[in-house]
Amino acid sequence: MFSPSQADVRRFFCGVFTKQREGQAMEAIETLAAQWMDEHPEHHADFGDVEAALARMGEQNSSGANPFLHLSMHLSISEQCSIDQPPGIRQAVELLAARRGDLHTAHHEVMECLGQMIWESQRAGRPPDGQAYIEAVRQRATRD
């Protein structure tokens, strides 16, 4: 299993940002990352300097967010949907996106569900509950 460090994640996103700006060829995962980065121009300054990004590990940016974690969650959700793992997540996210009229907005709501599942798993010392995660996304898709 691949477990990148915080530094690896920051280097990845900064590298993708550089490749995109310079019009270099990218791998599929880099292209997907670049698409999500385009959705977040407020974080572009965070991706433009890898050394500064590495020096700020563990800190939030001026908006109080961690753009590297945020983009990592977008990629995780995209990957979950592409392979439908946990089973049913693709449909739940598609339903939420249809309800909200926007995949990006839906992803932000899914992030809340994903974060909650991870927090509960860590707090209880047990594996993540994929069914509870999917159910939380479905509930958001069926309420206003």
Side-chain angles (χ1 to χ4, degrees):
M1 178 183 277
F2 180 65
S3 292
S5 68
Q6 285 184 27
D8 293 335
V9 169
R10 286 172 182 251
R11 283 187 194 96
F12 169 78
F13 284 114
C14 290
V16 168
F17 189 74
T18 298
K19 282 183 172 183
Q20 184 180 38
R21 272 194 339 237
E22 295 176 359
Q24 296 177 15
M26 291 189 275
E27 296 178 22
I29 190 70
E30 293 172 325
T31 300
L32 181 59
Q35 290 169 348
W36 284 116
M37 292 168 98
D38 285 345
E39 294 283 332
H40 291 283
E42 71 276 17
H43 298 312
H44 286 179
D46 295 299
F47 305 126
D49 183 346
V50 69
E51 294 307 320
L54 293 171
R56 290 189 310 266
M57 278 198 319
E59 298 176 12
Q60 297 175 334
N61 70 6
S62 60
S63 70
N66 179 335
F68 300 96
L69 175 60
H70 186 83
L71 269 282
S72 294
M73 291 183 82
H74 272 301
L75 286 180
S76 294
I77 294 164
S78 294
E79 179 67 10
Q80 289 171 359
C81 290
S82 75
I83 63 172
D84 198 29
Q85 185 59 37
I89 192 63
R90 180 186 303 133
Q91 181 187 40
V93 172
E94 287 173 355
L95 287 170
L96 183 58
R99 181 70 178 243
R100 299 297 180 250
D102 180 59
L103 180 62
H104 188 218
T105 300
H107 260 232
H108 285 189
E109 290 191 50
V110 174
M111 284 180 197
E112 292 178 28
C113 300
L114 179 59
Q116 182 69 29
M117 177 194 62
I118 292 169
W119 180 80
E120 288 176 2
S121 169
Q122 290 175 340
R123 183 178 57 102
R126 63 177 185 258
D129 186 344
Q131 271 315 117
Y133 168 48
I134 293 166
E135 186 55 35
V137 175
R138 283 186 183 134
Q139 285 178 3
R140 286 173 179 264
T142 59
R143 70 172 197 233
D144 290 324

